[in-house]
Amino acid sequence: MPAIDGLPPLRETISRYGLNAKKSLGQNFLLDLNLTQKIARAAGNLEDAVVLEVGPGPGGLTRALLACGARKVIAVERDERCLPALHEIGEHYPDRLDIVEGDALEVDFSVLAAGERIRIVSNLPYNIGTPLLVSWLLTEPWPPYFDSLTLMFQKEVAQRIVAAPGSGAYGRLSVLAGWRTEAGLAFDVPRQAFTPPPKVTSSVVHLTPRAAPLACSAANLARVTQAAFGQRRKMLRQSLKAVGGEPLLVGAGIDPQRRAETLTVAEFCRLAQALG
Ligand code: SAM
C-alpha cells in the first residue's frame, strides 16, 4: 500500500514499536490508509479544521486527518506504548499534532478545544464508545463546543443511535441522539479491515448538533427513557409507574396504552417536560 504521506507503512510502525493489540484497551487497528481517509472525509471538509481524536493508537486515522488538511489534531491516547509512534507523526507534521496521554473518560474535551470550534473524529475503543457518546450528547451548554461527531461503533450500536420510532433498535440512545443531533450512518466497515479483526461489523456514524433542540431537561429525558425502555414490551402506564405513570402520560397528551418504541423524540421531550 503506497503511503499517503511519506511516513512508513503502519505494519512497520506497529512492529517497530511492539504495538501488539491489547483487548482490554479495545485495540483493533485500521492499517488501510484509504479506509482511514474515507473516515476522515466522512467528517466533512477538514481544511483548516481543529480535530479531536480519541484513541489514535499507531496513528492510521490521525495520519489521514492530517493528510486531509486538518490544521490541528488533538489526539488523546491512554496506551503509552503508542506515544513514540505518534511523536513520529508529529515530527512529520510540525505544530499540527498535540498528543495528550490520558483516559478519554476523564478528560475535559471542552478544555482541550481551548475556544476553537472542533470536530470530533474517532475509531472508538468499543468498551467506552457509548459512555463517551452519551457524555457528548449531554454537553452543557448546548449548542456544544463541537461542530460534528464522526465515530466508529460496532454496527449494532450504530443502528441504535440512528434508529427511528417503531424499529427494534429504537431506544434510549436513539432518543438522546435524535433530540440533540441529526445522526446518520455513513458506511459499514467489515471486520477484516481491522488488525486484529473484531467479532462483528463496524459502522461509521456522523452526528451534527441541532442548533435549537426541543426544550427539555436532559436529566428528565434520561429518567423517562430509562424507565420506558427498561420495560419496553410493557404499556407505558406500567413501565412509567415509578416516574408518574398514567397521570404523567395523560398530562403530556400521550395514550397510556402505548409502548416505548412507538413514541417520537418530541413525545419523549413532552414527557420529560411534564415531569417538571
Ligand atoms: N485510531 C486507531 C485506528 O483507527 O487504528 C486505533 C483505534 S482502537 C479501536 C482504539 C484506541 O483507543 C486504541 O489505541 C486504545 O489504546 C485507545 N483507548 C482505549 N481506551 C482509551 C481511553 N479510555 N482513553 C483514550 N484512549 C483509549
Side-chain angles (χ1 to χ4, degrees):
M1 158 93 31
I4 47 174
D5 49 16
L7 280 161
L10 281 158
R11 262 182 216 290
E12 190 182 311
T13 303
I14 286 174
S15 109
R16 186 148 38 98
Y17 293 108
L19 304 179
N20 51 314
K22 282 192 185 170
K23 208 173 171 187
S24 59
L25 286 172
Q27 291 183 335
N28 301 100
F29 300 133
L30 289 173
L31 307 188
D32 176 347
L33 294 170
N34 288 320
L35 180 57
T36 54
Q37 278 207 309
K38 189 173 170 187
I39 299 170
R41 282 196 300 267
N45 182 1
L46 294 182
E47 288 290 335
D48 212 31
V50 178
V51 178
L52 216 148
E53 184 193 3
V54 173
L61 182 54
T62 320
R63 285 167 58 173
L65 294 165
L66 290 162
C68 283
R71 171 159 56 89
K72 173 146 323 232
V73 175
I74 304 165
V76 180
E77 175 56 63
R78 191 176 179 179
D79 185 353
E80 62 178 4
R81 297 177 312 155
C82 297
L83 303 183
L86 294 169
H87 282 296
E88 196 175 304
I89 300 170
E91 278 162 26
H92 191 78
Y93 290 100
D95 299 325
R96 289 174 60 196
L97 178 60
D98 285 356
I99 303 159
V100 179
E101 184 187 356
D103 181 345
L105 290 175
E106 314 259 301
V107 164
D108 185 337
F109 293 98
S110 66
V111 171
L112 288 185
E116 298 261 22
R117 301 297 311 163
I118 63 160
R119 291 170 184 271
I120 297 178
V121 184
S122 174
N123 171 14
L124 288 171
Y126 73 97
N127 47 344
I128 61 165
T130 304
L132 270 179
L133 174 64
V134 169
S135 75
W136 286 324
L137 291 173
L138 296 181
T139 298
E140 295 296 349
W142 196 274
Y145 57 90
F146 51 85
D147 286 334
S148 62
L149 302 166
T150 307
L151 306 170
M152 174 110 72
F153 292 94
Q154 292 173 291
K155 183 172 181 171
E156 174 261 327
V157 178
Q159 284 171 330
R160 287 200 272 130
I161 295 165
V162 303
S167 95
Y170 186 62
R172 246 189 103 195
L173 215 44
S174 342
V175 175
L176 220 46
W179 169 45
R180 279 196 151 170
T181 70
E182 287 189 51
L185 272 184
F187 52 87
D188 289 344
V189 180
R191 36 189 298 282
Q192 299 81 358
F194 298 86
T195 302
K199 289 204 176 77
V200 292
T201 304
S202 297
S203 306
V204 175
V205 180
H206 184 72
L207 305 99
T208 317
R210 291 185 194 279
L214 293 170
C216 126
S217 131
N220 283 357
L221 189 62
R223 272 181 77 196
V224 288
T225 50
Q226 191 162 5
F229 289 107
Q231 303 181 64
R232 59 187 300 141
R233 309 236 170 272
K234 299 219 166 117
M235 288 183 197
L236 288 165
R237 69 168 175 228
Q238 177 64 33
S239 56
L240 292 187
K241 224 168 197 165
V243 296
E246 198 151 339
L248 177 80
L249 287 152
V250 173
I254 292 164
D255 179 352
Q257 301 204 42
R258 287 174 64 188
R259 289 178 171 76
E261 69 181 40
T262 70
L263 258 58
T264 62
V265 171
E267 287 173 318
F268 271 113
C269 288
R270 284 218 308 272
L271 276 175
Q273 274 180 308
L275 210 51

